[in-house]
Amino acid sequence: WAHWPLSSSAGFVVGHAGLYQALAMFAVAYFIIGMTVLSVCAIATNGALDAGGAYYMISRALGPEFGGSIGIMFFLANVCGSALYVLGLVEAVVDSFGIPPGQEVGTGVHVLPQSYWYELLYGTVLLALCLLVCLVGASIYAKATFLIFLIVAAVLGTILVSFFATRPLKVPIRLPNGNGTETDNGSFTGFSLNTLRDNLGGKYDVDYTTGQMMSFSSVFAVMFNGCTGIMAGSNMSGDLKRPSYSIPRGTISAVLFTYLVYNLLAFLMCATCNRTLLQKDYGFLRDISIFPPLVTVGIYAATLSAAMSNLIGASRILYALARDDLFGQALALAKKTSASGNPVMAVILSWLVVQVVLFSGKLNTIASVVTIFFLLVYATVNLACLALEWASAPNFRPTFRYFTWHTCLLGIAGCCVMMFLISPVSASASLGFLLLLLLALHYLSPSSTWGYISQALIFHQVRKYLLMLDVRKDHVKFWRPQMLLMVQNPRSSARLIDFVNDLKKSGLYVLGHVELQDLDMLPSDPLQPQQDSWLSLVDKLNVKAFVSLTLAPSVRHGVRQLLFTSGLGGMRPNTLVLGFYDDEAPQDGLARHPAFTSAREEVPLGFPPLRAAATPKLLSAREYVGIVADALKMLRNVLLARQLESLDKAWELRRAATPPPTIHVWPVNLLRPDSARYADTCSLFLLQMACVLNMARAWRRARLRLFLCVEAGTMPHAQEEKLRQLLKDLRIQAQIQLVPWDAITHLHWQTCQGPSGGPAEEEEEEEGVVNFPSNTTQVSDEYVRAANKLVLEQSPAPAVRFLYLPRPPADTSLYPLYLHQLELLTRGLGPTVLVHGVSAVTSTQL
């Protein structure tokens, strides 16, 4: 019973559920189907449609992972559906012509032996007939289905006439009882108000074929099994001359016609047949027909048509999957076609799978899974249409406009509710299977050129949220670093790129690069070909960064452009990171990076070779310091990273747990010993950056060590307690170490000339005035070397050091001297980050 077309099982539905509930079931089922049909029509009229039907629609809309996994499930659903209909036809044939149980010799038309192997033989013969039709091609299939349509239409007309023409009669019903049978009587009363009144409400009873007690959900599941043919037309999309014209018209007309017919049949059955006849004899239409043999032929023809439809649908899906190469060589055989373009190998492979399924004999357990697979496909078609509608892509403009995102959403909800109503266990198992296929295809399938709807949806949402991100509502509590790292050549910056990725703390990260060329002198933009290499670099290094390239006459102009234009809305870089300007020859760290040393990976990135040590730099010392000054004028924080390419993060963080790696923090301006403070904006920013690094997953084992420089007679313990309280207020865990530096400051005061360096200068510094030249000239190289030695002597050696970066002098002629002092201060320190902050970034509030 579960395998017959819906017109045959309509009596079963109204017999158990009654007219009211049966009409409600039809309404709910066709509501779900109607919503899905609207989505199918929308996708089918939005561009050319190829072979594969629903698979083609879903894969081109949602990408290969969804398309491939749903394609496999749709193939299996069609294969099992074909087997279901073949076995249903075998049951119908055996019911009509089989030797009754308990008899050894047949009588009259009852001549077919009944056993598992005989029924398998009958199924194989019927399936072979379907195979022959499908092998000849879509044209003969269309002719065969049209002939079957005429037969079914004639049968339907006969049945409708029979309800009016047949006189009231008693129908003897033979029911199985143990090894034998028992007889009951059903009644065809003709049109009777009493019969209609008795059949209005539900009266669920035991199903005589399975012995199971029926309920609303079990009857609905059986009824819905007969409604899963709405994709039959779209599966033939590759064989239709005008699929975008034929599919909407054919599918909508079929849905409307069948809905009206089923409702009419339900009413006529309830008004003329008593409950016993409806519940105990699912073949009662033969008994009341004016020409019973025609009803039998109609049932056979409809079931055979459904089996052929599912077989040819499965073959077209398999062919489309094979042609898209989602499963590599596994489906290569299914690509072969005949001279006329019929995918004969896909048909044969589908036939073989159906034949294997036929060995199961009884498929009542698979019936619910098949329905759930179909429902999953319908839900995904609705999801594809919903995604296309929500993405608001200009190229999604189907000629069929009778749908909205509401209809798609209702279709998805209806399919999901139905799945779990039919069988929660099967629904959960099917979703698990879908998830496994999704993951397998995500990691194993090659990338496609179909376009990914996820990208369109992400763009749509990101644009919306960027508009909502209001810079006027920024608050220091929610500050995060947003980095612009300038990279001259990634070959010498791989570890620096990785290090800054740890520093960004879920903030914006942009890799900036300046190409020194003039667009007026070039035939086309030279940056476009480089973009792919940079994006591949980001993927290979596994950093969460954007890439921003620009053309400029000088590096300084290029960095200014990027500082002004990088980012969008409230997501703009607030911190500039530069490599250090020194005379060391660059080393190619990219070739030695683990991401590029794998045996299967080449170094495919098209970056130029590194400059030789003797080659002049593209950037002068004065221009480099000018970039730092520009960034500070634009109120951007600045980080200068020296010798970060020597930082072996993996080794530092994997070495013995005792002692853990350390991060040394010097929140005092070592080049301004006369104005050393720990609570200015720059010192707090430096503390924040060290803390952010320590919060990164890879650096959580590291320990912060904070160095407090003290002089004799300045109450060092009071300073330490004050600093400890500050750290506590800022929730920063760090070990404080007192460092006497009287000997260092003594060197400074020896070389000081004049009264400069007094309180007036501190007041100017607090007001944000740029550093004055007198300070740079008064710090001697001897003092800076002593400060460098002081930092270097603190043991054990840290993984990385954070030092205070003073402002560049206002007098640009002193830029080289300023850079020379920074080089002396950081010489031989290993991985070091010089930090200057201009914005408040710490908060003690909730």
Side-chain angles (χ1 to χ4, degrees), residues 623-660:
E623 192 179 5
Y624 176 82
V625 180
I627 291 170
V628 176
D630 290 344
L632 295 177
K633 287 175 186 174
M634 294 181 195
L635 298 181
R636 304 296 204 277
N637 311 297
V638 176
L639 272 60
L640 305 184
R642 185 171 193 186
Q643 293 186 351
L644 259 296
E645 286 305 300
S646 67
L647 172 63
D648 189 345
K649 186 174 80 173
W651 180 84
E652 286 286 355
L653 302 176
R654 284 178 194 157
R655 65 184 181 177
T658 51

Side-chain angles (χ1 to χ4, degrees), residues 683-739:
S683 296
L684 292 175
F685 180 80
L686 189 151
L687 274 173
Q688 180 82 327
M689 294 313 298
C691 181
V692 164
L693 181 66
N694 195 204
M695 292 168 73
R697 181 177 298 175
W699 290 86
R700 281 179 190 160
R701 278 190 57 245
R703 296 289 177 264
L704 290 182
R705 290 184 70 192
L706 192 60
F707 293 91
L708 177 60
C709 297
V710 294
E711 296 180 61
T714 56
M715 296 188 294
H717 292 293
Q719 291 184 38
E720 181 184 0
E721 191 55 39
K722 187 177 177 182
L723 183 56
R724 198 178 300 282
Q725 186 59 42
L726 175 66
L727 293 176
K728 184 179 177 182
D729 292 342
L730 297 176
R731 289 91 61 209
I732 296 175
Q733 294 183 353
Q735 174 193 349
I736 298 175
Q737 185 167 332
L738 300 180
V739 180

